[in-house]
Amino acid sequence: MAILKAFKGLRPPKEIVKKLASRPYDVLNSSEARIEAEGNPYSLLHVTKAEIDLEPGIDEHSQAVYDKVVVNFDRFQKEGWLVQDNEEKLYIYAQTMEGRTQYGIVGCCHIDDYFNNVIKKHELTRKDKEDDRMIHVRITDANVEPVFFSYPSHKELDDMIGKYVKENKPEYDFVADDGFGHHFWVINDSRMISRIVEIFRDEIPSLYVADGHHRTAAAARVGQEKKAHNPSHTGKEEYNYFMAVIFPDDQLKIIDYNRVVRDLNGLTEKEFLDKLSEVFTIEKKGTEIFKPCCLHNFSLYLGGNWYSLTAKPGQYNDNDPIGILDVTILSNLVLDRILGITDLRTSKRIDFVGGIRGLGALKKRVDSGEMKAAFALYPVSMKQLIDIADSGNIMPPKTTWFEPKLRSGLVIHKLDS
């Protein structure tokens, strides 16, 4: 069962929260972060992407950047832009996108649950990205940004959270510049906190990483390091825990994660379509954007036209939780077999576009000449993600895209509390 713990959150005063809260570090590159934080000293990007305060072009993994992280994080606390709660709390963080609101519980998970697979993963991590986040946790001695988890929906938890948000005003309530709403409550009812902790301990068998595999791995491994280097370790230290926002699975929605390719591996457009017709039923849709309608149906944009591609029966394995994924079907039948793109993690011939940008972004990149063709996929379901995580399998790269992203800075977990 899952361990959940209350903690003394480090939080901004409500007067500056909208200015301080930022998008996650890995959603923006350095140039975009500079623009987003320009003229805003409160932006947490000064901590999560501190290279924006140094000369342009600096290596974001350099010691100078890490030193600036420490200086800026310390300044945010000394200026009173981040203030720690006096008592351990759980929190509720809700997000609203396109009229749909999802309610998450903010608390601390145990590093042992990560290593014992109570916290289940569906993606591989890259060592370089993991190492970078480990440095960030070490030098700040904090989980500055939360990870994004899911849990099997639970009626009593739904009812408790629903009642609390209805009867209490949020501590923070704002709409970010991207139009997404962010709402945050501090749970001040100690009996409610205890009951939530009990439910996770006794009735929630697993947690699922939705977004933030690298941050999760880094936080757990730093806790493990601190444990190994502390001869007086008792198991009660704050470093045994890391911060997460945990949403019920039935409230989450995964959106599409699409692909663009630079060339057709020496084929003409006609030759490429002919090869596709061996494994797909193809229907030309014309110049109007076409969105996939269901599983195993894909959109192709090529030569100024959209096409519907439907995988023919027998081309995929219905009984394999990985083989049935549309990303697997596209990779096996098209990217690998026809285009010769075998390693999605390293190939420079392919790029990935989150569905939040819309299918117009795919068309633009092909029409510009940068890319030769684009593929849009029907989104993965939460059930598919959970089935794969439960089976111990790993999804192919760039399979899931969750929106809205968690805002960083609403609450921070200090490891030295």
Side-chain angles (χ1 to χ4, degrees):
M1 297 297 174
I3 297 172
L4 185 69
K5 177 186 174 297
F7 67 103
K8 297 178 181 179
L10 184 70
R11 302 188 292 108
K14 63 179 64 177
E15 294 78 16
I16 64 168
V17 65
K18 183 176 179 179
K19 292 182 178 180
L20 188 141
S22 71
R23 290 192 283 169
Y25 85 99
D26 54 352
V27 170
L28 303 164
N29 62 36
S30 297
S31 298
E32 292 168 333
R34 285 178 188 273
I35 294 170
E36 190 148 313
E38 186 176 7
N40 179 10
Y42 302 113
S43 173
L44 197 73
L45 291 170
H46 295 288
V47 176
T48 58
K49 296 189 74 68
E51 69 270 16
I52 67 176
D53 293 331
L54 302 172
E55 64 273 15
I58 191 170
D59 179 0
E60 62 188 270
H61 303 124
S62 67
Q63 188 59 48
V65 171
Y66 293 130
D67 290 343
K68 192 64 174 174
V69 170
V70 175
V71 169
N72 286 352
F73 189 46
D74 184 60
R75 178 167 62 90
F76 270 53
Q77 294 171 79
K78 287 181 176 177
E79 293 284 352
W81 300 345
L82 291 170
V83 181
Q84 192 163 25
D85 287 333
N86 293 324
E87 298 178 349
E88 292 188 341
K89 306 286 186 182
L90 292 177
Y91 309 86
I92 299 168
Y93 176 17
Q95 302 170 295
T96 300
M97 172 183 172
E98 298 175 350
R100 179 181 62 86
T101 302
Q102 57 195 32
Y103 296 86
I105 298 168
V106 188
C108 282
C109 298
H110 203 288
I111 63 170
D112 287 352
D113 281 354
Y114 178 82
F115 295 109
N116 295 337
N117 207 38
V118 171
I119 296 170
K120 298 190 175 184
K121 310 90 180 168
H122 68 267
E123 287 183 5
L124 296 174
T125 57
R126 282 174 40 188
K127 187 177 185 301
D128 59 336
K129 294 182 70 174
E130 208 172 293
D131 289 348
D132 170 64
R133 286 303 94 186
M134 288 180 72
I135 293 171
H136 206 276
V137 175
R138 288 190 199 110
I139 61 178
T140 58
D141 212 20
N143 307 131
V144 174
E145 296 186 288
V147 294
F148 185 164
F149 285 177
S150 181
Y151 65 91
S153 61
H154 187 283
K155 186 176 186 308
E156 185 180 349
L157 285 174
D158 287 350
D159 291 345
M160 271 195 293
I161 292 168
K163 184 173 186 292
Y164 195 86
V165 302
K166 184 177 181 179
E167 296 178 352
N168 295 272
K169 288 186 177 180
E171 181 78 5
Y172 309 138
D173 194 3
F174 64 93
V175 176
D177 292 341
D178 55 14
F180 299 156
H182 301 271
H183 330 282
F184 189 92
W185 290 260
V186 179
I187 301 178
N188 290 309
D189 184 335
S190 60
R191 289 179 298 178
M192 179 176 172
I193 292 173
S194 296
R195 181 57 188 149
I196 291 173
V197 170
E198 286 176 359
I199 290 173
F200 274 83
R201 183 192 66 206
D202 299 335
E203 302 178 39
I204 304 297
S206 300
L207 303 177
Y208 298 87
V209 182
D211 201 1
H213 281 79
H214 291 93
R215 275 169 282 168
T216 303
R221 292 198 161 98
V222 169
Q224 194 177 50
E225 283 181 352
K226 286 177 171 287
K227 174 181 176 180
H229 291 115
N230 181 7
S232 302
H233 176 81
T234 66
K236 296 182 179 180
E237 297 85 358
E238 204 65 27
Y239 60 67
N240 292 287
Y241 304 89
F242 61 93
M243 180 175 62
V245 186
I246 317 172
F247 294 89
D249 60 353
D250 61 357
Q251 292 185 19
L252 296 181
K253 181 180 179 182
I254 304 173
I255 63 175
D256 45 312
Y257 211 159
N258 303 312
R259 280 91 167 106
V260 287
V261 295
R262 297 187 187 280
D263 62 79
L264 299 182
N265 200 26
L267 300 172
T268 66
E269 291 180 7
K270 182 180 184 306
E271 289 170 337
F272 181 55
L273 288 169
D274 286 345
K275 285 187 175 293
L276 287 176
S277 68
E278 297 173 8
V279 288
F280 293 95
T281 300
I282 302 179
E283 183 182 351
K284 188 174 181 179
K285 293 292 186 179
T287 58
E288 293 295 319
I289 288 176
F290 171 72
K291 193 175 181 67
C293 62
C294 56
L295 287 174
H296 312 332
N297 178 242
F298 304 80
S299 294
L300 165 66
Y301 184 67
L302 174 70
N305 285 293
W306 290 89
Y307 298 83
S308 167
L309 310 180
T310 303
K312 293 181 178 179
Q315 297 297 329
Y316 50 87
N317 185 353
D318 283 324
N319 299 315
D320 179 356
I322 299 296
I324 199 173
L325 292 174
D326 283 350
V327 288
T328 305
I329 295 170
L330 183 70
S331 294
N332 291 344
L333 300 184
V334 182
L335 302 179
D336 187 347
R337 185 185 302 181
I338 300 176
L339 297 180
I341 299 172
T342 57
D343 189 343
L344 302 186
R345 294 178 182 277
T346 60
S347 177
K348 303 299 183 184
R349 296 173 56 211
I350 188 168
D351 199 6
F352 305 89
V353 183
I356 192 67
R357 297 180 182 273
L359 299 195
L362 303 181
K363 180 179 184 297
K364 183 177 180 181
R365 294 186 69 174
V366 174
D367 288 346
S368 71
E370 176 199 4
M371 296 292 176
K372 184 64 178 177
F375 299 91
L377 289 76
Y378 194 75
V380 171
S381 69
M382 277 300 298
K383 182 180 185 305
Q384 287 179 304
L385 183 153
I386 289 171
D387 286 347
I388 287 169
D390 283 343
S391 69
N393 283 299
I394 297 296
M395 283 185 170
K398 310 294 185 182
T399 299
T400 58
W401 184 284
F402 286 88
E403 285 286 353
K405 301 294 185 185
L406 302 177
R407 285 272 154 167
S408 301
L410 299 181
V411 63
I412 289 169
H413 171 234
K414 296 188 72 174
L415 305 186
D416 61 353
S417 296

